[in-house]
Amino acid sequence: MRHQLFEEWLFSKDDLDSEQKELLNNHTQTCQHCQTMETAWNELMLQMDTKIWYSPDEGFAQRWQSRLKQHQILEQQKHAYWAFMLTAGGAFIFAIPLFLSVISASPLTEIWTAFYRVSVFAQYTQDLISFLLTLLRPLGILIPTALGLGLVITTWSGLLLWLVLMQRVHLIRSRGHDA
Amino acid sequence: MASAEENNRADEIHWLEQALHGDADSFMHLIELYQKPVFNLCYRMLGNREDAEDAAQETFLRAYSHLKKYDFQRSFATWLLSIAAHHCIDQLRKNRINLVSLEDLVSGDISDPLPTPERKVVQRDEQQKVQKILLQLSELDRAAIIFYYWYDMSYEEISETLHLSVSSVKSRLHRARKAMASLWREQSNVSGSELERKRYETPVV
């Protein structure tokens, strides 16, 4: 049998049957290289068998607790940041067309154009509002008054809750900075 | 009558359920219970106490944040060690922390049962060699070896923990053993020849 196969067997002893183990033993007795490798592996195994375990320093759990607090503050800051970024991003997107319409070549013509556009925009807005009202009127008849009132209250409560949450996040953030 | 192991598991499940409801203090019990195996794994993977502490802390933080994903049918220890192993592998791939300072290895807190200081020094040196060899293996091979020899995990458990197939675990272990034996032999030769050299060295005048 080939030497390479025995060398392979040398490191998979757990998976060998008794016959293979015997063949390997016979080979190891005559092969210098395999003998050296086996000795090296046995020495190493002896060290690994002592199973020395490393322990963390005292107070590991307490350190984790303070790390958790820091992590939670960071998460809240992240959420507040994203909420702010989304709001700011939305406002920015709406502002771009307005900005572009204002900033252009000739100031005088552009001012007139801007006035014209504002008047057109106002006209469109008026049309849009009247269109929405025609849509909402039948809805007002269909939706009972109590439900409508409920919806309005829920929306306002949601807004109020958001504002309170934002204030709390801001407070936690400022406390974090103070700490 | 319930065995001690069953009682421990019942306690563990109780703490886990409490932690799932946001009770961080219950999770502290689990940290006390598993800090040593998790830290040891991180130390064996990363090779120094500072990084091991950071990785172990991060492991518990991730476990706490993703507790909803934990399958109560599985062993919590295995799940935890899996998180730790993957975190360490990610860290190693990110930073390639393969260089280890000798000071860190020597100052390692080894719970040594050997009596004499000489034996302690010898064993520390040998352990240093083992750790150096471990750090020369690839991340996954290293994790497989640690789980097999330090945590007595079966091939199936290692494959589950490292998300590998059983055959892949076997081949990784085989390759790692071969590499480790060669490295051990090389290091022994080096230290042997160093000893020889020292013996015949010209004394300093």
Side-chain angles (χ1 to χ4, degrees):
Chain A
M1 278 175 112
R2 284 166 57 213
H3 160 82
Q4 211 170 359
L5 179 70
F6 288 116
E7 207 184 342
E8 295 295 309
W9 283 2
L10 206 59
F11 299 103
S12 351
K13 272 186 180 172
D14 295 347
D15 306 322
L16 298 182
D17 58 39
S18 52
E19 197 185 329
Q20 287 171 322
K21 276 182 186 166
E22 206 181 316
L23 280 169
L24 178 64
N25 271 339
N26 293 338
H27 172 79
T28 326
Q29 276 164 13
T30 54
C31 175
Q32 183 64 39
H33 175 76
C34 284
Q35 250 177 45
T36 325
M37 289 301 268
E38 193 178 30
T39 313
W41 179 243
N42 288 341
E43 281 172 11
L44 188 58
M45 276 294 289
L46 204 69
Q47 288 306 317
M48 294 208 288
D49 272 348
T50 52
K51 288 209 174 99
I52 284 168
W53 284 55
Y54 293 90
S55 315
D57 294 332
E58 284 289 310
F60 180 86
Q62 284 68 37
R63 286 197 297 281
W64 178 81
Q65 209 169 25
S66 47
R67 191 172 172 141
L68 176 71
K69 273 178 195 156
Q70 276 180 346
H71 174 78
Q72 283 168 339
I73 290 169
L74 272 174
E75 281 294 301
Q76 280 168 338
Q77 282 179 352
K78 215 187 277 175
H79 288 157
Y81 171 79
W82 278 112
F84 171 76
M85 285 308 278
L86 280 172
T87 318
F92 182 70
I93 287 165
F94 279 113
I96 288 173
L98 205 70
F99 178 76
L100 285 176
S101 70
V102 171
I103 304 293
S104 255
S106 157
L108 200 68
T109 47
E110 281 308 315
I111 287 167
W112 280 117
T113 322
F115 270 123
Y116 172 74
R117 279 178 184 163
V118 166
S119 66
V120 170
F121 181 71
Q123 183 62 45
Y124 276 129
T125 316
Q126 203 180 3
D127 289 347
L128 188 73
I129 289 167
S130 63
F131 171 71
L132 286 173
L133 280 174
T134 48
L135 278 177
L136 285 171
R137 256 182 225 118
L139 273 177
I141 299 159
L142 286 170
I143 300 170
T145 325
L147 186 66
L149 209 65
L151 275 171
V152 170
I153 289 168
T154 317
T155 316
W156 279 105
S157 309
L159 270 170
L160 202 68
L161 193 68
W162 186 78
L163 278 169
V164 170
L165 273 174
M166 287 299 285
Q167 202 185 8
R168 284 201 67 180
V169 166
H170 178 72
L171 264 175
I172 291 164
R173 205 174 168 178
S174 55
R175 269 183 213 151
H177 281 302
D178 291 345
Chain B
M1 219 174 84
S3 67
E5 206 171 302
E6 279 169 356
N7 279 337
N8 288 345
R9 179 66 183 151
D11 281 346
E12 192 177 281
I13 287 173
H14 170 72
W15 290 328
L16 279 167
E17 279 169 350
Q18 293 291 310
L20 255 174
H21 291 102
D23 181 4
D25 289 338
S26 290
F27 197 73
M28 295 276 279
H29 290 290
L30 295 162
I31 295 178
E32 294 288 356
L33 204 64
Y34 292 112
Q35 56 177 296
K36 202 172 173 180
V38 169
F39 181 85
N40 181 60
L41 171 68
C42 296
Y43 185 89
R44 293 279 175 201
M45 287 294 289
L46 302 172
N48 70 72
R49 292 189 71 80
E50 214 169 277
D51 290 333
E53 162 90 13
D54 193 57
Q57 292 272 349
E58 188 59 32
T59 300
F60 284 110
L61 206 60
R62 282 185 187 187
Y64 183 70
S65 315
H66 298 102
L67 216 52
K68 280 179 191 160
K69 287 182 187 167
Y70 169 62
D71 173 10
F72 278 74
Q73 305 299 315
R74 280 180 70 189
S75 143
F76 182 65
T78 310
W79 185 66
L80 209 54
L81 290 173
S82 172
I83 296 174
H86 283 107
H87 177 66
C88 290
I89 290 167
D90 286 347
Q91 287 301 305
L92 287 165
R93 284 181 182 163
K94 232 184 266 171
N95 307 326
R96 295 272 160 209
I97 323 168
N98 281 321
L99 295 167
V100 61
S101 92
L102 278 176
E103 264 175 43
D104 270 336
L105 285 170
V106 173
S107 63
D109 167 33
I110 300 171
S111 44
D112 200 336
L114 291 169
T116 63
E118 290 85 8
R119 290 285 294 157
K120 210 171 176 176
V121 169
V122 169
Q123 189 163 30
R124 196 167 271 184
D125 285 348
E126 298 291 291
Q127 282 303 314
Q128 216 176 294
K129 259 167 77 179
V130 174
Q131 186 61 29
K132 265 187 182 177
I133 287 170
L134 265 180
L135 292 174
Q136 288 181 59
L137 299 176
S138 78
E139 296 91 0
L140 277 168
D141 291 1
R142 193 184 310 170
I145 282 283
I146 294 167
F147 283 136
Y148 193 79
Y149 290 103
W150 272 273
Y151 293 80
D152 296 321
M153 281 192 186
S154 64
Y155 294 140
E156 287 76 17
E157 282 173 319
I158 299 173
S159 79
E160 196 189 327
T161 311
L162 294 178
H163 305 151
L164 297 168
S165 66
V166 173
S167 58
S168 167
V169 169
K170 280 186 183 176
S171 69
R172 279 183 184 279
L173 279 171
H174 180 267
R175 189 173 57 202
R177 284 181 193 126
K178 204 170 171 180
M180 286 177 86
S182 301
L183 287 165
W184 182 267
R185 197 185 57 175
E186 275 169 30
Q187 289 210 1
S188 301
N189 286 346
V190 168
S191 48
S193 58
E194 265 173 14
L195 249 169
E196 282 291 301
R197 205 171 52 238
K198 273 181 186 166
R199 196 182 291 167
Y200 297 110
E201 228 168 42
T202 323
V204 181
V205 185

